[in-house]
Structure formats: C-alpha cells, structure tokens
Amino acid sequence: MPAKSKNAYQVTLPTDREIVMTRVFNAPRELVFRAHFDPELVSQWWGLRSYTTHVEQLEARAGGRWRFVQRSADGKQEGFGGEFKEIVPPERFVWTFAWDGMPGHSVEETYSFEEQDGKTTLTVRSVYDTREERDGMVASGMEYGANESADRLDEVLAKLQA
C-alpha cells in the first residue's frame, strides 16, 4: 500500500451512525466545487489511481442521478451512485451514495465547502442507517480510498490553477 497522504482527511465518528471527514485544499471553493460536478474533471481524480473512472451519469440538480464506474487494468469493475438531494453552489451539496460492494445500503452525504485565504475546507458528513453499516464502510478501506482520491483532486486543482 502506498505511503499515507501528507494532507490526509481528518476522520471522526461523532455518533454511532456518522463518519465526518475534513480536509483542506489549496484552491478557491468555486474551483473545488466545480471539480465535483464537471464530468471531465471527476474522471481525472475520483477513485483509486489503479483504476480509471468513467462518469456514466451526473445530473447536477435536485433529484438528478449520478453513477461513476471504476475499472482496473484486469477488468475489475466497481460502481457507485445515487441521487442529488440538494445543490447550493458553491457552498454544499447533498446526495445519496451507494457502493456496489454493499448492495441494498445507501448513505446520505453532505459536502460542505468553506473558503478562507484562498483555501477550501471540505467537510463530508455521511449518515448511515445503522452503526453496523457505518462500521462496514470504515472496514471497507474507504478512508484510504478517500485520501487517494483527494490527493488526485489536489493534483487536478494545481493544474487548473497553473
């Protein structure tokens, strides 16, 4: 497994059903927000480096659906998707998140973007139906995957600002 990110998410479990992840990006929030909704940008940073990400669907509106599929060189495929509940550019969005690896389970996530001195603090609050579902996601390696994606997002943001 590669070295841990220098700018890793701070991960907390504030209640039996929540995961909260916070990380600072060296970019204005409008840009960080846009990188979450532009399919071309999403495909450059979302997911593990060993996979390519295909944005199959990204309807950026309340009630709109999203689906991203990651594929490895050997053909392994993992899908993620859900529905947007709320979008308030560039402050926050709320969506449901489902991973094919945990069929039948969905989580509601709120992404909040706060800017200070040209840097953006992203806070992702995930609320699960049960403690067991939350613990299953923690055990799945999601923290490692989230950090690798965020490292890749850092790289995309740096290129966009160059």
Side-chain angles (χ1 to χ4, degrees):
M1 198 173 275
K4 186 173 178 171
S5 171
K6 293 177 186 173
N7 180 26
Y9 273 111
Q10 299 300 308
V11 178
T12 60
L13 307 175
T15 70
D16 285 353
R17 297 177 35 231
E18 290 179 283
I19 299 171
V20 175
M21 302 189 310
T22 304
R23 181 171 169 148
V24 176
F25 293 91
N26 189 20
R29 78 177 179 169
E30 288 81 6
L31 190 58
V32 180
F33 190 89
R34 183 173 67 110
H36 284 78
F37 287 93
D38 180 328
E40 184 178 318
L41 296 178
V42 170
S43 67
Q44 293 177 43
W45 67 264
W46 207 88
L48 300 175
R49 289 185 194 279
S50 58
Y51 286 71
T52 57
T53 297
H54 176 68
V55 177
E56 288 189 350
Q57 188 173 21
L58 184 56
E59 299 173 308
R61 60 175 175 76
R65 306 287 304 166
W66 70 276
R67 181 157 173 82
F68 307 156
V69 176
Q70 294 181 299
R71 292 183 181 94
S72 66
D74 66 0
K76 182 180 176 188
Q77 180 173 300
E78 291 194 69
F80 305 83
E83 178 181 324
F84 287 100
K85 299 292 188 181
E86 175 186 31
I87 301 175
V88 183
E91 298 173 17
R92 75 179 171 280
F93 69 88
V94 180
W95 70 4
T96 59
F97 176 97
W99 171 45
D100 291 354
M102 287 180 69
H105 300 277
S106 180
V107 59
E108 185 170 285
E109 295 186 326
T110 302
Y111 284 64
S112 301
F113 302 77
E114 294 181 26
E115 183 176 343
Q116 184 172 2
D117 300 324
K119 294 183 179 189
T120 301
T121 300
L122 173 60
T123 302
V124 182
R125 179 179 178 261
S126 304
V127 180
Y128 294 81
D129 288 335
T130 67
R131 178 185 194 134
E132 292 74 24
E133 287 181 10
R134 184 214 54 194
D135 292 350
M137 185 58 76
V138 170
S140 76
M142 72 86 200
E143 184 176 352
Y144 174 80
N147 277 309
E148 190 164 295
S149 286
D151 290 346
R152 296 177 70 200
L153 176 55
D154 272 333
E155 294 162 13
V156 168
L157 294 169
K159 287 179 192 173
L160 291 171
Q161 294 179 94

